[in-house]
Amino acid sequence: MTGNPISRLKPKVHMKGGDLSLLLLSLFLAVLVWFISNLSRNYSSVMTVPVFAQSNLVGHSRDCSAPCDISARCRASGFRMWRNSRMPKVVTVFISPEDLHREGSSDVYQITATELSRYTSQIYGEGVQLESFISPAVSFTFPSENYKKVPVQGLQALSFKPQYMAVGPMRFQPDSVIVYGEPMHLENVDRIYTAGITLSNLSRDTQGVVKLECPRNVRLSDTEVTYTLGVCRYVELQSTVKIGVRNVPSGKDLTVFPSTAEVVYRCAFPLRANPVDAVSFAIDYRDFEKSINGRCIPRASRVPPGVIDYKIDPEVFECIDSSRR
């Protein structure tokens, strides 16, 4: 027997390629698990996000002139902290005008840390817990713009079930909007129309949201409004009334032709009492003086709440000052 017998007893270790790959994979998975485990934990750190503010300040642009970096100490997962530190993208946040405070007479508006805390999730994202802002307040500049305030007018096509009608005109909220633009464009805008509102076979109160039609070359403070319309059931009552006169000066004598008229009242159902007995119609002498040809429309008085509408026939009356003869 030749050679060293001890050397013949030592095992020979050979690392195969498959074993090396398995070892490297195990190390990678261990590091990955460690990495994910650590990033899944919550940490407290300062997060900084550039914020582009928008608002609806009267007389100012909707957009601020430049983004502002907002820093705060927050508690969040390591994933979110890591993502924020690598790619702090600009976040657009709409701030309520009530939360912005003008600095003197400038175009700079400030929002305090207390008010800014309402927008934490919009700025830093869901799952982030605010601990404190670094600054007590931040400021944005909203450039001034030419503007005017005009009423909202509805474009509507309404129909009702038999014996139903609108209690009053359709109401809008807001009932007026701010229009922004160059003076040459603003002077041609005296109202803003809604998109068409078509409601059929109405028998109860209704409400909804409708978009506004924006003219070219201008901007509106609101893009839509809410509308409400009161609807009720009615009954019709007919009555013959005498046409009186009022505010006739001493020494004057105003005669009305014809002296009576037929009135059809539409009253809310159910009737609790006959509302038409209390109503009276009269020609005001001041209207007669302003008229060109002595033709006047009588005015109703003491109309009770139960009367929704009425029609008088005839609508116009001939009036003569008998004292001038």
Side-chain angles (χ1 to χ4, degrees):
M1 180 176 295
T2 61
N4 188 345
I6 298 177
S7 63
R8 292 198 300 270
L9 295 175
K10 289 182 179 180
K12 296 181 179 179
V13 178
H14 298 282
M15 183 68 71
K16 296 182 180 180
D19 295 337
L20 180 60
S21 299
L22 183 61
L23 176 61
L24 294 175
L25 179 61
S26 299
L27 289 173
F28 172 77
L29 291 176
V31 172
L32 182 62
V33 169
W34 174 85
F35 183 74
I36 293 176
S37 175
N38 279 274
L39 290 183
S40 298
R41 298 174 182 173
N42 284 339
Y43 299 91
S44 177
S45 181
V46 174
M47 299 178 67
T48 299
V49 174
V51 173
F52 185 81
Q54 293 182 327
S55 192
N56 204 4
L57 298 163
V58 176
H60 293 269
S61 170
R62 181 186 298 273
D63 300 333
C64 68
S65 57
C68 174
D69 286 343
I70 298 181
S71 300
R73 178 165 291 278
C74 303
R75 177 166 290 277
S77 67
F79 284 111
R80 185 167 293 279
M81 294 286 188
W82 177 69
R83 187 164 59 246
N84 175 262
S85 63
R86 290 196 53 177
M87 298 180 299
K89 65 178 181 178
V90 178
V91 176
T92 300
V93 177
F94 185 88
I95 301 176
S96 172
E98 290 75 19
D99 293 333
L100 291 166
H101 311 283
R102 193 171 189 176
E103 297 183 3
S105 58
S106 66
D107 294 336
V108 179
Y109 284 80
Q110 187 181 87
I111 179 171
T112 65
T114 301
E115 293 158 331
L116 194 60
S117 63
R118 303 170 189 166
Y119 306 91
T120 301
S121 60
Q122 298 181 50
I123 298 173
Y124 300 105
E126 297 293 339
V128 176
Q129 180 181 353
L130 174 70
E131 293 184 344
S132 63
F133 285 102
I134 303 302
S135 300
V138 294
S139 299
F140 296 95
T141 299
F142 292 90
S144 299
E145 286 189 357
N146 298 304
Y147 73 98
K148 68 187 296 187
K149 190 174 184 178
V150 299
V152 172
Q153 182 167 328
L155 296 178
Q156 50 200 306
L158 310 176
S159 66
F160 302 86
K161 283 186 176 181
Q163 296 299 116
Y164 285 88
M165 65 178 293
V167 177
M170 182 175 287
R171 299 184 181 277
F172 298 98
Q173 181 60 39
D175 59 2
S176 59
V177 293
I178 307 296
V179 186
Y180 297 91
E182 296 298 326
M184 61 181 295
H185 297 134
L186 291 178
E187 66 181 10
N188 298 321
V189 181
D190 59 358
R191 68 196 66 196
I192 294 297
Y193 292 96
T194 67
I197 304 171
T198 302
L199 302 171
S200 304
N201 215 28
L202 293 172
S203 61
R204 60 182 179 181
D205 296 349
T206 184
Q207 60 182 4
V209 178
V210 62
K211 291 187 177 299
L212 297 177
E213 300 290 347
C214 182
R216 295 180 59 184
N217 303 313
V218 299
R219 176 177 68 86
L220 303 181
S221 60
D222 297 271
T223 59
E224 60 186 24
V225 295
T226 60
Y227 65 84
T228 56
L229 181 69
V231 178
C232 77
R233 188 178 177 184
Y234 71 88
V235 293
E236 289 189 343
L237 300 176
Q238 189 168 349
S239 176
T240 301
V241 298
K242 180 176 176 59
I243 306 299
V245 295
R246 64 167 66 107
N247 296 321
V248 179
S250 177
K252 300 291 184 179
D253 186 12
L254 188 64
T255 304
V256 179
F257 298 98
S259 60
T260 61
E262 297 297 323
V263 183
V264 177
Y265 303 89
R266 286 187 172 182
C267 305
F269 180 83
L271 290 175
R272 292 179 173 82
N274 189 343
V276 302
D277 294 339
V279 185
S280 63
F281 292 85
I283 303 292
D284 195 307
Y285 191 85
R286 291 170 293 192
D287 293 338
F288 169 73
E289 288 184 311
K290 296 176 183 177
S291 68
I292 299 175
N293 52 15
R295 294 168 60 85
C296 301
I297 298 175
R299 299 187 184 189
S301 60
R302 299 195 303 273
V303 180
V307 176
I308 306 171
D309 190 20
Y310 64 85
K311 291 184 179 179
I312 184 170
D313 184 30
E315 295 181 353
V316 181
F317 294 78
E318 300 286 347
C319 302
I320 299 175
D321 187 349
S322 304
S323 63
R324 294 179 181 176
R325 295 180 179 179

